[in-house]
């Protein structure tokens, strides 16, 4: 607080953040009983594979291409990075299927769904720029073929797949930063709104069978 | 590099009208569907069947 008694912007941000996410909501130690199902595990599995992607990717960046091509340990970390990406998409898509079929946008959770969808859409070019950065003949083929796709979409001048420097930079910095930022927003929103309760099929079926209809119902 | 399976050949693909996909890709998709169904149906440790919400 300043001498005049006015709150600074940091104070306002802090109060707003604590009001939206008090510590017991940010780091809960309890969960609803309906979360006791394996389908709820795929979110955290996606997160865990993302952590391995970022970790192995960081080590690959630090050590450089000669290490990951020409040493055994480097080759192992290269493979770790690839397979953690495969698992990330495997788990994330199953997480998406679960959330779609349980209509997880209910109860004011539209932004949770939207941030999840955007994460998926941003992760795809993040993975594809990785494929283009492999520095092998496969990557060369992908870049020359996909260049046609980008040109046909009209963005070839801005997103040049045969420009290795641009593709590698997108893959190492820009797109992972975007994925992580959106995932953080996604998780904070899940913490704020809580896990969506399951659809109440029995009640919905009973209502549909009921002959009584209110005036407001269609 | 030694591999258990020969990896140095083009992928076996399935062609059906416009649909074209490698067998390995189809296997992964089938596996994902199977894992999804199992995740919903498999009992969770400590969960009481028919238990109510908090």
């Amino acid at each position: 607080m300043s001498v005049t008694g006015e709150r600074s912007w940091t104070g306002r941000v802090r109060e707003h953040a604590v009001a939206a996410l008090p510590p017991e909501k940010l780091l809960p130690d309890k969960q609803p009983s309906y979360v006791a199902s394996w389908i709820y595990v795929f979110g955290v599995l996606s997160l865990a594979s993302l952590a391995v992607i970022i970790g192995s990717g960081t080590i690959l960046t630090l050590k450089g291409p000669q290490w990951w091509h020409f040493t055994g340990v480097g080759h192992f970390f290269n493979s770790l990075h690839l397979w953690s990406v495969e698992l990330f998409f495997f788990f994330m898509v199953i997480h998406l299927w679960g959330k779609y079929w349980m209509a997880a946008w209910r109860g004011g959770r539209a932004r949770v769904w939207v941030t999840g969808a955007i994460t998926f859409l941003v992760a795809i070019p993040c993975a594809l720029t990785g494929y283009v950065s492999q520095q092998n003949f496969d990557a060369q083929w992908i870049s020359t073929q996909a260049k046609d796709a980008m040109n046909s979409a009209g963005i070839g001048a801005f997103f040049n797949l045969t420009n290795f420097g641009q593709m590698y930079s997108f893959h190492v910095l820009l797109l992972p930063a975007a994925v992580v930022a959106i995932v953080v927003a996604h998780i904070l929103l899940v913490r704020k709104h809580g896990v969506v309760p399951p659809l109440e099929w029995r009640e919905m079926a009973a209502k549909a069978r009921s002959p009584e209809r209110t005036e407001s119902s269609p | 590099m030694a591999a258990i399976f020969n990896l140095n050949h083009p992928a076996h693909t399935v062609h059906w009208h416009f649909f074209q996909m490698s067998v390995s890709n189809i296997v992964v998709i089938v596996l994902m569907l199977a894992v999804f169904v199992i995740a919903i149906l498999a009992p969770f440790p400590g969960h009481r069947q028919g238990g109510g919400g908090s």
Side-chain angles (χ1 to χ4, degrees):
Chain A
M1 184 114 25
S2 71
V3 175
T4 59
E6 288 174 3
R7 282 185 300 125
S8 64
W9 69 269
T10 53
R12 285 197 300 274
V13 168
R14 182 189 66 236
E15 285 172 24
H16 183 78
V18 170
L21 277 168
E24 55 275 3
K25 245 187 165 179
L26 186 63
L27 291 168
D29 55 1
K30 286 189 283 288
Q31 64 185 19
S33 60
Y34 51 78
V35 175
S37 169
W38 291 108
I39 194 61
Y40 290 100
V41 174
F42 288 86
V44 76
L45 285 173
S46 305
L47 269 179
S49 28
L50 182 63
V52 176
I53 292 171
I54 302 291
S56 58
T58 303
I59 291 167
L60 289 171
T61 309
L62 289 168
K63 296 291 284 183
Q66 279 70 35
W67 181 71
W68 78 62
H69 279 307
F70 299 121
T71 69
V73 177
H75 198 173
F76 174 74
F77 271 85
N78 203 18
S79 303
L80 203 63
H81 190 65
L82 168 73
W83 286 104
S84 55
V85 172
E86 303 285 336
L87 287 174
F88 175 66
F89 279 95
F90 189 101
F91 296 136
M92 183 169 56
V93 169
I94 295 175
H95 177 66
L96 183 153
W97 289 345
K99 293 300 135 189
Y100 176 80
W101 290 108
M102 67 173 72
W105 48 84
R106 288 175 290 130
R109 295 174 176 84
R111 286 180 301 171
V112 181
W113 172 262
V114 168
T115 48
I118 294 174
T119 302
F120 181 56
L121 294 174
V122 174
I124 290 171
C126 194
L128 293 175
T129 49
Y131 274 121
V132 150
S133 301
Q134 287 180 95
Q135 297 188 296
N136 55 19
F137 284 126
D138 207 22
Q140 185 179 303
W141 175 262
I142 294 165
S143 63
T144 50
Q145 301 308 300
K147 189 178 181 50
D148 292 340
M150 297 301 115
N151 287 346
S152 68
I155 59 172
F158 310 108
F159 196 62
N160 182 359
L161 265 71
T162 54
N163 182 343
F164 176 75
Q166 186 185 24
M167 292 299 105
Y168 192 65
S169 303
F170 265 74
H171 179 68
V172 165
L173 177 67
L174 205 66
L175 293 171
V179 168
V180 169
I182 300 164
V183 164
V184 166
H186 181 70
I187 293 167
L188 290 177
L189 285 165
V190 172
R191 284 279 179 265
K192 185 180 173 200
H193 294 289
V195 177
V196 67
L199 289 160
E200 296 181 18
W201 291 111
R202 291 187 188 88
E203 285 78 2
M204 287 162 68
K207 215 184 225 179
R209 280 195 302 268
S210 167
E212 295 172 69
R213 281 180 170 270
T214 62
E215 282 183 15
S216 60
S217 62
Chain B
M1 295 285 287
I4 297 170
F5 304 101
N6 175 27
L7 302 171
N8 192 25
H9 61 83
H12 300 291
T13 48
V14 170
H15 290 267
W16 182 60
H17 296 299
F18 61 86
F19 179 83
Q20 180 179 325
M21 194 179 275
S22 67
V23 170
S24 44
N25 200 350
I26 292 172
V27 165
V28 169
I29 292 168
V30 167
L31 194 66
M32 287 171 73
L33 290 165
V35 166
F36 178 62
V37 170
I38 291 167
I40 290 169
L41 297 176
F44 195 79
H47 175 60
R48 286 174 288 112
Q49 291 298 323
S54 62

